[in-house]
């Protein structure tokens, strides 16, 4: 009965949130723009005649969307409470039952995102990119990266009329009404300018600006309800983070600024392409950019057919994003495969015969200079096996008492691991780590994530997405890590963040960084050579000891092979 009352309270609170969504924007309840009416009502209802009907339909749509979210939340909550009741916490049976509930809850959340679309798909993508949430949610919701349906152009053309006061025929020489790509907040059409240049036109879905406040308010209330029902799950801070990111992505002028700034940062680097922006045909809801050819970055069959080595693509991709993090201090926050293309350059031969094309510059994060320097120091310490420096920089990054687990996240090695760099942990170390991690509660994970710098969350998300692509392309873990180390050392030498070129930083600083990296790499190779020799010597000694035991015919009480092991 108590649970039923709580669930009813959540439903009531969420219903109120739909009406009270105006507290986020200061507008009257459900006083949405009529721009949403044409897609809902059809092209026969336009202008003043659609005003009242548009408001009614907008209000009804907001209520339906919030009701779906409340229903999904209530069913998932009940499933967790009922299905895990009676199990001893941290027992094998408890973990098995919890994994099954995770799977069911993730599928319900996926259905909610697919039905509500818009910001719910964006929220699902956000969750799927967080490697710290249960793996069932990551694997289930990851399909949202590509699974977005197109809107009919009849529903989209109103955006051009509202933004430019003209239709597409007046703006472009030709415009393909069939979209070539769709995302959670917009879809892309191919077009040709009056001067013959081919462009890609990104058009925001109608009504998103008005829909935003209701969706965010609903998510905020449900996150508070989650924290109330499950005190260990303190993830209320995720909603403001998601809100900030979504507001940036809704403003295509901001995206144009980001693209131009990133293009300037990579002006020195070969192998990177960022579409040029056509400002005269861009507004907050329409973005016109240079059309870029290429195949998806993780489409291995297309890469091989074009004569491009997938491993070289992985190496280039990792180096590009490592430079963003350690040197530019300006990081693309959403590098999923749909936002990355590989262009085979017919004018180039050899293994570097391609360019990485970076799309969708709506979500970027400026890294604080103190954070950037600490992160560079952290990676340098990982190579030098400097445990004190790892802990100090980890605490500076906001990891607190969990700083000792950061090396596992980034390198697969424990802080005191004796395994070779890039090889992960030994079986014994894995066993110890599993036991430590198993003792973590969701409250521990929540506390850790909440304490991290917000910049760190962006870096974790970006690193996780890039790492996933690199793994699919067959990249070596060691080479991926060394690309991070190289850029971390270069980042430490910069007089200021930005373009890490010789001309920008000066010959002395640039040379010092290169020498420091060579020194680090030399030390690492020597360490690994000694480590391999030690392993070889130990294996040889054990074999000789076993041979001696056999020849001694049991004359010794303590076999030498036991001493050797």
């Amino acid at each position: 009965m108590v649970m039923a009352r709580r669930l009813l309270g959540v439903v009531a609170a969420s219903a109120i949130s739909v009406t009270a969504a105006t507290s986020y924007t200061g507008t009257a309840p459900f006083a949405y723009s009529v721009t949403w009416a044409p897609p809902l009502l059809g092209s026969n209802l336009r202008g003043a005649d659609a005003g009242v009907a548009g408001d009614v339909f907008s209000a009804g749509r907001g209520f339906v969307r919030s009701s779906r979210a409340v229903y999904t939340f209530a069913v998932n909550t009940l499933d967790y409470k009922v299905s895990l009741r009676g199990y001893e916490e941290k027992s094998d049976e408890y973990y098995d039952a919890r994994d099954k509930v995770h799977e069911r809850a993730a599928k319900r959340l996926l259905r909610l995102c697919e039905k509500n679309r818009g910001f719910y798909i964006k929220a699902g993508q956000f969750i799927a990119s967080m490697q710290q949430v249960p793996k069932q949610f990551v694997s289930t919701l990851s399909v949202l990266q590509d699974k977005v349906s197109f809107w009919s152009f009849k529903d989209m053309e109103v955006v051009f009329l509202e933004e430019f006061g003209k239709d597409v025929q007046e703006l472009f020489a030709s415009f393909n009404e069939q979209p070539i790509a769709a995302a959670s907040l917009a879809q892309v059409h191919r077009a040709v300018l009056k001067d013959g240049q081919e462009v890609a036109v990104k058009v925001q879905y109608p009504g998103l600006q008005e829909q935003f406040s209701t969706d965010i308010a609903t998510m905020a209330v449900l996150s508070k309800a989650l924290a109330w029902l499950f005190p260990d799950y303190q993830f209320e801070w995720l909603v403001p983070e998601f809100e900030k990111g979504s507001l940036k992505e809704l403003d295509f002028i901001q995206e144009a600024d980001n693209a131009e700034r990133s293009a300037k940062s990579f002006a020195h680097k070969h192998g990177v392409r960022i579409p040029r922006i056509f400002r005269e045909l861009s507004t907050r809801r329409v973005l016109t950019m240079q059309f870029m050819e290429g195949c998806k970055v993780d489409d291995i069959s297309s890469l091989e057919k074009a004569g491009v080595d997938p491993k070289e693509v992985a190496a280039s991709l990792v180096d590009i994003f490592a430079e963003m993090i350690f040197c530019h201090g300006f990081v693309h926050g959403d590098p999923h495969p749909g936002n990355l293309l590989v262009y085979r350059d017919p004018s180039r031969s050899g293994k570097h015969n391609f360019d990485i094309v970076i799309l969708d510059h709506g979500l970027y994060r400026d890294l604080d200079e103190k954070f950037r320097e600490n992160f560079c120091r952290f990676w340098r310490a990982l190579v030098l096996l400097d445990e004190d420096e790892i802990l100090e920089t980890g605490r500076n990054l906001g990891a607190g008492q969990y700083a000792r687990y950061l090396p596992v996240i980034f390198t697969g090695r424990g802080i005191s691991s004796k395994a070779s760099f890039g090889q992960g942990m030994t079986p014994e170390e894995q066993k110890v780590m599993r036991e430590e991690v198993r003792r973590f509660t969701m409250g521990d994970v929540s506390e850790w994530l909440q304490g991290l710098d917000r910049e760190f969350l962006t870096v974790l998300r970006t690193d996780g997405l890039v790492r996933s692509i690199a793994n699919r392309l067959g990249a070596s873990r060691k080479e991926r890590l060394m690309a991070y180390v190289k850029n971390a050392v270069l980042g430490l030498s910069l007089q200021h963040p930005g373009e890490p070129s010789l001309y920008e930083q000066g010959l002395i600083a640039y040379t010092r960084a290169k020498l420091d990296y060579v020194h680090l790499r030399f030390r690492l190779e020597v360490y690994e050579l000694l480590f391999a020799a030690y392993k070889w010597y130990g294996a040889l000694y054990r074999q000789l000891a076993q041979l001696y035991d056999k020849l001694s015919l049991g004359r010794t009480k303590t076999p030498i092979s036991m001493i050797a092991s």
Side-chain angles (χ1 to χ4, degrees):
M1 183 62 70
V2 173
M3 177 57 62
R5 283 200 299 270
R6 284 188 173 185
L7 289 177
L8 285 173
V10 172
V11 173
S14 298
I16 292 171
S17 78
V18 178
T19 306
T22 58
S23 63
Y24 270 74
T25 59
T27 58
F30 300 122
Y32 297 131
S33 160
V34 299
T35 59
W36 190 243
L40 287 171
L41 304 176
S43 58
N44 60 324
L45 279 177
R46 304 287 178 127
D49 291 337
V52 176
D55 288 345
V56 172
F57 269 78
S58 294
R61 186 176 180 82
F63 178 77
V64 169
R65 290 165 63 81
S66 296
S67 298
R68 287 194 195 113
V70 170
Y71 173 79
T72 301
F73 173 84
V75 173
N76 279 351
T77 299
L78 200 59
D79 196 359
Y80 276 101
K81 288 289 188 181
V82 172
S83 300
L84 299 181
R85 188 169 52 194
Y87 289 105
E88 181 181 347
E89 196 167 347
K90 298 185 180 180
S91 65
D92 290 337
E93 294 79 10
Y94 172 83
Y95 288 121
D96 289 341
R98 190 184 64 178
D99 286 344
K100 292 176 181 176
V101 181
H102 283 335
E103 188 73 36
R104 293 194 296 270
K107 289 180 179 177
R108 294 187 194 104
L109 190 55
L110 175 62
R111 288 196 294 271
L112 171 66
C113 294
E114 290 174 336
K115 287 181 179 179
N116 277 3
R117 298 168 67 173
F119 293 103
Y120 283 86
I121 287 182
K122 178 59 66 176
Q125 293 172 343
F126 184 79
I127 294 170
S129 68
M130 294 185 63
Q131 301 300 316
Q132 295 75 37
V133 302
K135 61 183 181 181
Q136 292 84 357
F137 286 88
V138 174
S139 60
T140 301
L141 296 176
S142 61
V143 303
L144 293 173
Q145 302 290 8
D146 299 309
K147 192 178 178 182
V148 182
S149 57
F150 295 134
W151 286 50
S152 71
F153 185 71
K154 184 180 290 187
D155 292 338
M156 302 294 291
E157 61 184 343
V158 66
V159 177
F160 290 93
L161 292 170
E162 291 172 349
E163 295 297 299
F164 299 102
K166 300 178 180 179
D167 57 30
V168 293
Q169 287 76 25
E170 296 176 88
L171 296 168
F172 302 94
S174 66
F175 190 94
N176 190 342
E177 295 184 0
Q178 181 64 33
I180 57 175
S184 55
L185 306 182
Q187 63 189 38
V188 180
H189 294 258
R190 200 166 181 169
V192 177
L193 300 182
K194 300 288 187 180
D195 62 4
Q197 293 187 74
E198 197 170 16
V199 294
V201 185
K202 183 176 179 180
V203 190
Q204 193 174 114
Y205 298 130
L208 280 186
Q209 304 278 347
E210 296 78 14
Q211 205 178 80
F212 179 72
S213 57
T214 301
D215 288 347
I216 289 296
T218 303
M219 293 176 190
V221 169
L222 292 181
S223 69
K224 291 181 183 296
L226 180 68
W228 176 48
L229 292 169
F230 300 92
D232 281 347
Y233 289 70
Q234 296 296 322
F235 290 106
E236 293 178 60
W237 55 271
L238 274 176
V239 176
E241 275 299 300
F242 176 70
E243 182 182 10
K244 289 177 188 174
S246 297
L247 281 172
K248 290 179 181 178
E249 291 190 87
L250 281 174
D251 186 356
F252 289 176
I253 296 299
Q254 178 70 50
E255 180 173 347
D257 294 341
N258 292 340
E260 291 177 346
R261 178 177 170 185
S262 190
K264 183 179 179 182
S265 296
F266 280 118
H268 71 286
K269 195 178 189 73
H270 296 296
V272 184
R273 289 193 177 204
I274 293 174
R276 182 164 65 92
I277 305 299
F278 294 88
R279 290 281 185 170
E280 67 278 8
L281 288 172
S282 297
T283 69
R284 292 187 68 236
R285 295 198 293 160
V286 177
L287 183 64
T288 303
M289 64 200 117
Q290 178 185 5
F291 183 82
M292 290 287 193
E293 299 276 1
C295 64
K296 281 183 62 175
V297 70
D298 61 346
D299 187 347
I300 295 177
S301 61
S302 293
L303 292 174
E304 292 176 341
K305 187 177 179 181
V308 175
D309 185 350
K311 291 184 179 180
E312 290 298 326
V313 171
S316 179
L317 182 70
V318 170
D319 186 60
I320 288 168
F321 280 89
E323 184 175 312
M324 278 190 187
I325 294 169
F326 295 106
C327 300
H328 299 175
F330 186 58
V331 184
H332 192 302
D334 197 20
H336 65 76
N339 289 337
L340 299 165
L341 302 178
V342 177
Y343 170 71
R344 169 68 168 92
D345 190 342
S347 67
R348 304 209 310 260
S349 58
K351 61 181 182 179
H352 299 297
N353 58 356
F354 62 90
D355 292 330
I356 301 288
V357 180
I358 306 176
L359 305 174
D360 197 346
H361 299 268
L363 189 60
Y364 270 77
R365 168 80 74 169
D366 262 307
L367 301 184
D368 178 77
E369 180 62 5
K370 185 177 179 182
F371 171 87
R372 189 187 68 83
E373 289 182 0
N374 269 308
F375 200 55
C376 289
R377 287 174 52 208
F378 169 77
W379 271 89
R380 194 173 187 276
L382 286 178
V383 176
L384 297 175
L385 299 176
D386 188 338
E387 189 169 330
D388 291 338
E389 179 80 347
I390 290 172
L391 291 174
E392 180 186 344
T393 53
R395 285 192 290 267
N396 290 341
L397 294 169
Q401 62 178 319
Y402 305 104
R404 65 189 305 269
Y405 296 105
L406 292 180
V408 180
I409 294 173
F410 289 108
T411 69
R413 297 193 309 174
I415 192 169
S416 303
S417 177
K418 299 299 185 288
S420 177
F421 191 68
Q423 296 301 313
M425 291 180 280
T426 65
E428 293 78 13
E429 290 170 343
Q430 288 179 2
K431 183 178 179 181
V432 172
M433 184 59 65
R434 274 196 300 268
E435 289 303 315
E436 287 187 30
V437 172
R438 199 168 189 180
R439 290 197 294 269
F440 285 177
T441 65
M442 204 61 209
D444 294 327
V445 176
S446 172
E447 178 188 352
W448 174 63
L449 289 174
Q450 193 167 6
L452 288 176
D453 284 347
R454 294 298 171 254
E455 291 96 335
F456 206 169
L457 292 174
T458 299
V459 168
L460 282 172
R461 171 187 168 92
T462 299
D463 171 71
L465 289 169
V466 171
R467 185 193 314 177
S468 175
I469 296 171
N471 289 341
R472 270 178 271 171
L473 295 173
S476 158
R477 177 191 287 182
K478 180 179 177 181
E479 289 306 311
R480 177 177 60 81
L481 297 178
M482 290 311 301
Y484 271 53
V485 172
K486 179 188 73 174
N487 282 281
V489 172
L490 181 57
L492 277 175
S493 73
L494 300 185
Q495 297 173 13
H496 55 80
E499 182 185 332
S501 68
L502 173 63
Y503 304 104
E504 180 75 17
Q505 301 301 328
L507 180 61
I508 295 177
Y510 192 80
T511 303
R512 186 187 300 122
K514 291 295 184 182
L515 291 175
D516 196 7
Y517 172 68
V518 170
H519 176 234
L520 274 179
R521 182 114 196 190
F522 176 75
R523 290 182 61 171
L524 181 63
E525 295 296 341
V526 169
Y527 168 78
E528 293 190 347
L529 183 63
L530 293 174
F531 181 73
Y534 173 78
K535 288 174 64 179
W536 178 83
Y537 172 78
L540 178 63
Y541 184 73
R542 283 191 294 272
Q543 288 182 1
L544 290 175
Q546 290 172 359
L547 178 62
Y548 179 84
D549 290 341
K550 291 179 181 178
L551 293 175
S552 65
L553 301 177
R555 285 175 289 182
T556 59
K557 293 183 179 179
T558 304
I560 292 181
S561 60
M562 290 182 63
I563 300 174
S565 61

